[in-house]
Amino acid sequence: MKHYRELAQVIPPLLDKLHSGTAKLRESLEQLQAAGKPWQHYLLQPEFARNASLALDKGFDQPFSLTGALYAQLDYLEPMGSGGDARVTLQIPGLLAVPRKTLSLAQQLNQQKKAFYTAISSFRAALEERPVAERDRSVREILTTSGHPRAHLRQCYRLILLCTQRPDAIALSWIKARKSIRKVTVSWCEKKLVQLDPIGSDPGIQYQRHLLAGLHKSQQGDLRQVQVQSRPNLQVAEIFYRHKEAQEEEYHQVGYSSMPVLVEANSAGQLPNFTRIDHQPSPSRRRQRRDLGLATEAFLPALRVFLKEQR
């Protein structure tokens, strides 16, 4: 196995290539936005997508420019350490009709994303005997020295969904957010909070440890961690007909669309036939009833731990 220092040297140039790849794809999308020829688009506007649009300072009236900005946003938008959740990414679901050239740029960018992810994973693996917090700090130091101290790794890793072959039809549907609620102990919470802030430098984490230490004995059995997918995802299914003579349909699921899916346009710049759905996913009544027994505000926000309300 390579020494971790050698693995660290591989990361900065890969991150530079990643930024270069996103810039090229963004430029291609900006050209489509400015083109006289209309290119078909279908972007959904649930609340989280509108929030992403505001964060990127781009409107839905310029869908290709908005998508380019979304693809290119590889950094945190808010000051790090201010309470932002590192798992949260900007999401705007939908479809864009693009030419083959743009698809090729997206495919190249996905290869760069995979290479960067592999490099980070290999570096972390080389430090597997060290504490998680130290590994995270080492990765962040590499990103800082490479000139990208605010790099958002999840946004760097996530691949752009695309249809490499133009389908005859595309089906869209919302997938409900998954949620689980489990009982946790005081000792478990304390251990996790220490892992998040091993040297005690984060006031927010230290305050939560203070709250935990002061929790009344009668409430110590009421701690519940809520594990939830941040928001419902849009499922995109590609449907095409390869065996028309036999009248057989071949179905292929593209994946969960957190960013617009790129689809090869026809000569008129149009998408294949596709289903249109509501901008907002339908609520789940059953999940709401399960949550009625929990406090509305998290007791330990860093761990998504709530207190079960006394009855």
Side-chain angles (χ1 to χ4, degrees), residues 254-271:
V254 177
Y256 297 128
S257 167
S258 62
M259 300 188 292
V261 181
L262 302 183
V263 184
E264 185 176 6
N266 62 12
S267 58
Q270 298 296 295
L271 290 163

Side-chain angles (χ1 to χ4, degrees), residues 21-29 71 102 105-106 109 160 262:
T22 57
K24 291 178 181 177
L25 180 56
R26 182 176 187 175
E27 181 181 3
S28 178
L29 291 168
Y71 290 159
T102 303
L105 290 173
L109 178 57
I160 296 169
L262 302 183

Side-chain angles (χ1 to χ4, degrees), residues 138-157:
S138 297
V139 170
R140 188 54 56 182
E141 288 172 356
I142 293 173
L143 300 176
T144 299
T145 56
S146 67
H148 302 283
R150 297 170 59 79
H152 191 320
L153 291 180
R154 285 206 171 196
Q155 291 186 181
C156 291
Y157 295 158

Side-chain angles (χ1 to χ4, degrees), residues 69-70 117 212:
L70 177 63
Y117 173 80
L212 185 65

